[in-house]
Structures are given as structure tokens and as C-alpha cells.
Amino acid sequence: MTKAHELRCAGRVVARYVWDPELPATVSPRPYLHPVTTLGGTTVTGFMPGDHVHHLGASIAVPIVNEVNFWGGSTYVTGRGSVRLDNHGRQAHRRWLHRTGDRVSHELHWTGRDGTLLAVESRDLAVAQLTGDAWMLRVSYTLTSAGGLTIDSPATRGRAGAGYGGFFWRAPADLDRVHAYGRDSNGDVHGSRDPWVVLSGAGATGDPWTLIFQAAGEAAVDPWFVRATDYAGVCSAIAWDRPLVIAPGRTFTRRLAVVIADGPPRDATIRAAQEAV
């Protein structure tokens, strides 16, 4: 049975964190946030869409960890392209460290298809109201390598621009209404290291929404993987153009924040987000 925890802000449920999902192996089962909504009730996450059924709302998803797929779908193989392999891993809940209405923290095991332990993760998600029409989600995760980790992406294996992997947010959107930009990027924000990135769009009823993604601490060095044409999504990419190697017993930490707001992008909301982070 799928197990989930509701996160609340300003007196309402704004996110459902599914910490023990029932999912097919080919999507690389992992905890995810869906639905996530604005304070006004507009859903801003997409779940298992037809174009990429392995996109699970907002989740920590990595294409290749020691040849294990924690992203779902195909695996990019140098010289062969995207190949369907029986190599999907699982992120499994082990124990709670904190669990309240506005924050959850827990330990997870990242295991291969055969159950081999690759990493132990500590994950923390916290919500708080930012303004009258916006709230903030803070995300922190730390991976501790069990026996040494090599984290890859399709880009590190030759597919230019496909350096995704890390905290990934899939948005549901009418692509005619989607717009993405960063603080410093005049053109395509994809691949930039801007301190914040805005993704905006509209819900099923036409209500506009805004997401503001911000890097904190070590995550500031990671480029942004951004999609706003073929689909709408943002990822803080941890292996953009070179493999990330974590020695046995060593840790890797990333911290980010996402502002979820009703309405179109507003300078006041962006300023409030920067001050909060």
C-alpha cells in the first residue's frame, strides 16, 4: 500500500509526500512530492505524464549511479544511445528522523536491482509561508557512499545538454503558457549557474502559477537543467558534464529552496525568496 504524509502551510495541505510508493520497477521507485499546490489550490507538479512516465512530481532522481538507474526509463549508453535495461534501483525509506505537519526528515537506502546497498541518504523537507500568496519548500539531502559512488548523466556519456540528475521538478503545463528565465541569463537559462531560476505557467483552469528555484550552499556550483518547450521541468544538476565521484564512506550534500506562488512572476516574490534563503 502506498504510504504518504501531508505537508501543511497556512492552514491547508500544500504537498503530499509519498514516502513508500507502489510503482513499477521501470520508473525506479522512489519517494516523491505530488500533488504540490499553490496556496490557492493550483497543482504545480506533474505525475507519470504520457511523454515521460518516469517523471514523478518532485523527486531526487539520478540517471546513473554505479550503472544503476535511479531516474527511470532508458539508460544512456555511450555509442548506443538510450537503451532499455533491467537496471532500475530503488530509494527505500528506512526510518523517520522527524515527522510533523510542516517538516519531514528520514533516512533512505539506495539499492541496486539485486538489493545491493549503494548509498544511505538523509533527506529533509520543510515548508513555510513566504507571503500572502506564496510558500517555500526547503530541500536538503545527503548521500553517504557505501562502497564508492560514480554518478553519471547522459551528458557525461556524450549526449550534449542532457546533464540532468539531482532534485528534479516536473511541472504540469500548457506549454503555450510556460516561460523560464534566470537572474543573469538573457537567453536560454538551460545550463546556467544563476542563483535563481523562475518557471511559470498556468493550471488546468488557466490560473497562473510561479515556481522560483534557488540554490543554497554547495548547490550554487550546479548548473540548472531547464525544459520549457518539449515539457516543463527544472533540475539542479549534480553531474552536468563530468561524473561525480564519492569515495567510500564519504558524503555529498545539496540544499535548495523552491517558492510556490499563485499568479505570474513578481519582483516582490523573488526578493522575498532571496531574503528567506
Side-chain angles (χ1 to χ4, degrees), residues 92-112:
H93 167 83
R94 301 300 297 177
R95 63 188 179 104
W96 289 108
L97 305 175
H98 182 93
R99 190 179 182 188
T100 57
D102 62 355
R103 178 177 166 238
V104 292
S105 179
H106 65 142
E107 180 183 286
L108 305 96
H109 282 186
W110 291 42
T111 59

Side-chain angles (χ1 to χ4, degrees), residues 266-276:
R266 299 185 180 95
D267 290 342
T269 308
I270 295 173
R271 287 195 299 271
Q274 291 179 284
E275 292 171 2

Side-chain angles (χ1 to χ4, degrees), residues 1-263:
M1 179 183 295
T2 293
K3 299 175 183 177
H5 179 81
E6 293 180 340
L7 291 167
R8 307 182 68 88
C9 181
R12 61 160 295 144
V13 175
V14 293
R16 182 172 179 260
Y17 182 55
V18 181
W19 53 272
D20 187 9
E22 289 188 347
L23 294 166
T26 53
V27 302
S28 299
R30 58 192 183 273
Y32 60 86
L33 289 157
H34 178 77
V36 178
T37 71
T38 66
L39 292 176
T42 300
T43 298
V44 292
T45 47
F47 180 72
M48 297 186 75
D51 52 49
H52 293 80
V53 296
H54 49 279
H55 289 182
L56 308 178
S59 69
I60 296 169
V62 181
I64 309 155
V65 181
N66 291 13
E67 302 303 325
V68 178
N69 184 331
F70 288 96
W71 178 269
S74 300
T75 299
Y76 193 87
V77 179
T78 303
R80 297 175 61 192
S82 295
V83 180
R84 291 280 181 178
L85 299 175
D86 185 20
N87 67 336
H88 296 87
R90 174 181 292 272
Q91 299 171 19
H93 167 83
R94 301 300 297 177
R95 63 188 179 104
W96 289 108
L97 305 175
H98 182 93
R99 190 179 182 188
T100 57
D102 62 355
R103 178 177 166 238
V104 292
S105 179
H106 65 142
E107 180 183 286
L108 305 96
H109 282 186
W110 291 42
T111 59
R113 186 76 173 86
D114 61 357
T116 299
L117 178 65
L118 300 180
V120 176
E121 180 195 350
S122 176
R123 182 179 305 182
D124 191 275
L125 307 171
V127 306
Q129 188 168 3
L130 183 69
T131 67
D133 58 6
W135 63 278
M136 176 177 284
L137 169 70
R138 295 181 184 272
V139 179
S140 173
Y141 65 99
T142 297
L143 287 176
T144 300
S145 167
L149 298 177
T150 299
I151 298 174
D152 285 330
S153 69
T156 70
R157 299 184 166 198
R159 185 182 168 194
Y164 52 83
F167 179 70
F168 173 65
W169 191 295
R170 172 63 193 253
D174 177 350
L175 292 178
D176 293 335
R177 300 283 298 274
V178 171
H179 181 55
Y181 65 94
R183 189 194 71 176
D184 303 321
S185 300
N186 295 322
D188 188 2
V189 72
H190 181 67
S192 77
R193 287 181 169 84
D194 288 3
W196 53 260
V197 166
V198 169
L199 182 71
S200 61
T205 60
D207 298 313
W209 51 258
T210 297
L211 302 174
I212 306 169
F213 297 85
Q214 297 184 97
E218 305 91 334
V221 304
D222 297 331
W224 296 103
F225 175 90
V226 181
R227 286 288 183 263
T229 53
D230 49 345
Y231 64 84
V234 174
C235 178
S236 178
I238 59 176
W240 176 256
D241 56 6
R242 67 190 66 181
L244 171 66
V245 178
I246 307 172
R250 302 302 295 270
T251 62
F252 164 83
T253 298
R254 286 297 183 263
R255 293 182 295 117
L256 307 104
V258 185
V259 171
I260 298 93
D262 286 292

